[in-house]
Amino acid sequence: MASISAAELSKHQSKESCWLVIYGKVYDVTAFLNEHPGGAKILLRAAGRDSTPDFESVHNQDVLSELPRSACIGTIEPGALEKLGSNRNTTQEISHDDPKKEYPPLSTIVNVDDFEVIAKKYLSPTGWAYYASAADDEYSKQENRRIFRKIKLRPRVLRNVEVVDTTTTILGHKCALPIYISPTGLGKYAHPGAECTLARAAGKEGLAQCVPTSPSMSLEAIYGARLSKEQPIFQQLYVNRDRAKATALIKRAVKLGATALFVTVDSPVLGKREQDDRLKGETASNHTGIAKIASSGILNAALTWDDLKWIRALTDVPIVLKGVQSVEDVLLAHKAGVQGIVLSNHGGRSQDTAQAPMITLLEIRKYAPWLIGGKMQIFVDGGIRRGTDILKALALGANAVGVGRSFLYSMTGGYGEAGAQKLVDILRTELHSNMALAGATKIDEIVPEMVNAKRLDTEIFDSPKL
C-alpha cells in the first residue's frame, strides 16, 4: 500500500479530487461526495487533513466497510499528520464517558426526565444542541408534553387488577410493551455503541426498534446486534430523490431483516433549529449546524402520495407513514392502503406551532372514528415521558407509542445498554401501576371512557370545519 506525503494529500481538497485521512489510512472519497448522507460539503471541509476526530464524532469504524476497497489508496506518511493537524471545524468533538467524572448511579434515577438532566451535563455542546433542539421558539416541542397534562384520567374501581399484562402486538409482532424505539439520528453523541446498544436493549426488554436512515453504525452491525432474527426491527426511510439510492436502501434493509418501513413524511425541508444556529455563532467557526449536516442529501421536497406506489412495488413488508399531522392526511393514508401511521410533528423539530400528535388523534376520534381499532395501526410519538402518557394515548385509540429522545439521553453518562433498560423499566412500572389504578388488566381493556379530554375541545374544534 502506498505511503502518501502531507504535500501530496494537500493537493486533493476539491470536488474533482477529495482525499481524507481516517485512522491513518488515506481514502479517495471523490466518487462518494454526492452519496454522503451529510452532503458533499462536510467531506470537502475535511479534505486534505486528518479527519479522524470528525469521523469518530458521528460514526463507528465499521461504517468504513461500506466504501469500496479501492477507496483506500494508501497510508499517511509517518509524521505527516503533525504537519497537517486535525480538521476540527466540521463538527465539534464528542466526549464520551470520562472516568474522572462521577455520574449518578442508575438506582438514583426515578423518572424519565432524570436522564435528560444528566444528559445535558454530559453531552458535548454539539450533541446537546442536536438532540434537544426544536424548530423556532420550540412551542410544538413544549405542546407535545403539555397536551398530556390537559387530558385527565377517569379510573374505574373495584376491579380485580392483581395481574396486569402489558403485552401487545405491533405490526404483527408480539411486544412486551406498547412502546417502540423511534428512529433518532447521530446516536454516537450519546454512546459509542449507538443504535447497536439500543438493539441489544430492545431485545432484552422485548421491544421493537426503528433504525434511522442515517445511523452512526452500519445497518449490518445494527441488525446483527439483535438477540435473534425474530426480534422486530423497522427501518426508517427518508426517500432519496434518486430512486436508485432509495431502492438500494429498501432492498438492503429488507434483506437484513427489516419487518416494516417507516416512511418519514413530515420533513420535506429542514426546520429552523435555533439552538444549532446559536452554537454556530458562539463557536465562530465554519460549523454549519449539525442538523443541517445530518439532513443534507436525505430530504426530498418532491415526495408525493404517488411515490408510495413504487415503494410498495419493491417489498411486501408493512409500510408506515411517519409524521401524519391532520385527519385529512390520515384518510388519504388509509386510502393508500398503508399498514400504519405515526401521528407526529417530528418532536417539534420541523414546523413550530404544528399541532401536537394527540390533537390529531382526537381529530380521528371525532371525524373518522371507524379507523380506530382497524387494520391500519395508529402510533403516536412526541412528548411521551410517563406511563400515564402511554395510557392516555392508548385509551384514545393509539396502538402503541414511539419514544426517541429519551432513549438517547438514557445512554449518556456512560450508562449505555443498562441506561436504556432502566428507561424501559421505569416506563413499564409506571404503565403497569397506572393500568391497575385505572382498572385495566390488559391493553385491550384500556378504553376511551378512562380519559376525559373535554378541556381540549375548544382548542381543537373551534377551527373551521374539516
Side-chain angles (χ1 to χ4, degrees), residues 345-415:
N345 58 20
H346 214 87
R349 292 162 73 82
S350 290
Q351 186 171 44
D352 201 17
T353 71
Q355 68 182 17
M358 289 297 287
I359 292 181
T360 309
L361 183 58
L362 288 170
E363 283 186 359
I364 296 172
R365 293 202 63 80
K366 184 175 179 67
Y367 298 110
W370 61 89
L371 294 178
I372 303 292
K375 292 184 178 180
M376 183 179 75
Q377 290 200 305
I378 300 172
F379 310 119
V380 171
D381 79 16
I384 307 292
R385 297 293 186 278
R386 289 285 187 182
T388 50
D389 299 339
I390 302 169
L391 182 64
K392 292 170 185 178
L394 297 182
L396 290 172
N399 294 95
V401 302
V403 178
R405 282 186 176 102
S406 295
F407 272 105
L408 293 174
Y409 296 150
S410 73
M411 293 191 292
T412 61
Y415 297 136

Side-chain angles (χ1 to χ4, degrees), residues 9 206 299 434 443:
L9 182 67
L299 302 184
N434 280 286
I443 298 300

Side-chain angles (χ1 to χ4, degrees), residues 53-333:
D54 294 319
F55 177 86
E56 285 185 328
S57 70
V58 292
H59 294 302
N60 198 56
Q61 191 168 357
D62 61 5
V63 172
L64 290 172
S65 64
E66 298 184 18
L67 291 172
R69 290 186 178 182
S70 58
C72 184
I73 57 175
T75 58
I76 192 67
E77 187 179 83
L81 294 183
E82 286 72 15
K83 299 178 183 177
L84 293 168
S86 295
N87 181 40
R88 301 180 187 275
N89 290 328
T90 309
T91 63
Q92 294 191 1
E93 286 185 87
I94 189 169
S95 55
H96 286 302
D97 193 23
D98 183 348
K100 296 180 181 178
K101 291 183 179 180
E102 291 187 7
Y103 299 98
L106 282 173
S107 60
T108 66
I109 295 176
V110 298
N111 64 41
V112 172
D113 283 334
D114 287 347
F115 281 115
E116 184 171 353
V117 172
I118 295 168
K120 188 173 183 178
K121 297 178 181 179
Y122 164 76
L123 288 168
S124 67
T126 303
W128 175 255
Y130 180 70
Y131 289 172
S133 64
D136 296 350
D137 296 304
E138 303 192 352
Y139 288 135
S140 284
K141 177 185 175 184
Q142 299 163 24
E143 185 73 357
N144 287 351
R145 297 196 62 180
R146 186 189 72 87
I147 214 74
F148 283 107
R149 295 195 293 271
K150 297 198 72 172
I151 300 172
K152 303 304 177 184
L153 290 170
R154 301 180 67 249
R156 300 300 305 273
V157 299
L158 293 177
R159 295 184 174 186
N160 185 346
V161 291
E162 191 172 12
V163 178
V164 174
D165 181 6
T166 61
T167 60
T168 192
T169 301
I170 300 177
L171 297 173
H173 302 278
K174 187 174 182 180
C175 297
L177 290 164
I179 300 171
Y180 65 89
I181 301 175
S182 294
T184 50
L186 301 182
K188 200 175 180 187
Y189 278 120
H191 189 266
E195 299 84 11
C196 290
T197 298
L198 292 177
R200 289 189 293 270
K204 292 179 180 178
E205 299 298 331
L207 300 189
Q209 173 191 15
C210 190
V211 179
T213 296
S214 300
S216 292
M217 318 292 277
S218 70
L219 293 186
E220 286 73 15
I222 300 168
Y223 282 75
R226 290 178 295 164
L227 302 190
S228 72
K229 291 184 178 180
E230 287 68 42
Q231 181 179 326
I233 190 165
F234 313 138
Q235 179 65 51
Q236 180 196 33
L237 179 65
Y238 278 96
V239 183
N240 197 296
R241 294 178 68 94
D242 184 334
R243 285 198 175 185
K245 293 178 182 178
T247 298
L249 174 58
I250 292 170
K251 291 186 175 181
R252 180 183 172 197
V254 171
K255 184 178 180 180
L256 288 170
T259 54
L261 293 177
F262 276 51
V263 182
T264 295
V265 295
D266 56 11
S267 297
V269 297
L270 183 69
K272 182 186 178 187
R273 302 179 191 172
E274 295 185 359
Q275 285 196 54
D276 221 23
D277 292 338
R278 291 186 193 283
L279 183 64
K280 172 188 175 182
E282 290 170 4
T283 57
S285 69
N286 292 327
H287 173 69
T288 62
I290 195 66
K292 293 178 182 177
I293 293 170
S295 63
S296 177
I298 66 173
L299 302 184
N300 182 355
L303 190 69
T304 70
W305 292 97
D306 289 336
D307 291 303
L308 296 178
K309 297 174 184 177
W310 71 265
I311 295 175
R312 170 49 68 216
L314 292 173
T315 178
D316 293 329
V317 303
I319 293 175
V320 177
L321 298 189
K322 181 183 182 300
V324 180
Q325 301 174 81
S326 68
V327 69
E328 295 94 333
D329 282 341
V330 170
L331 291 170
L332 289 175

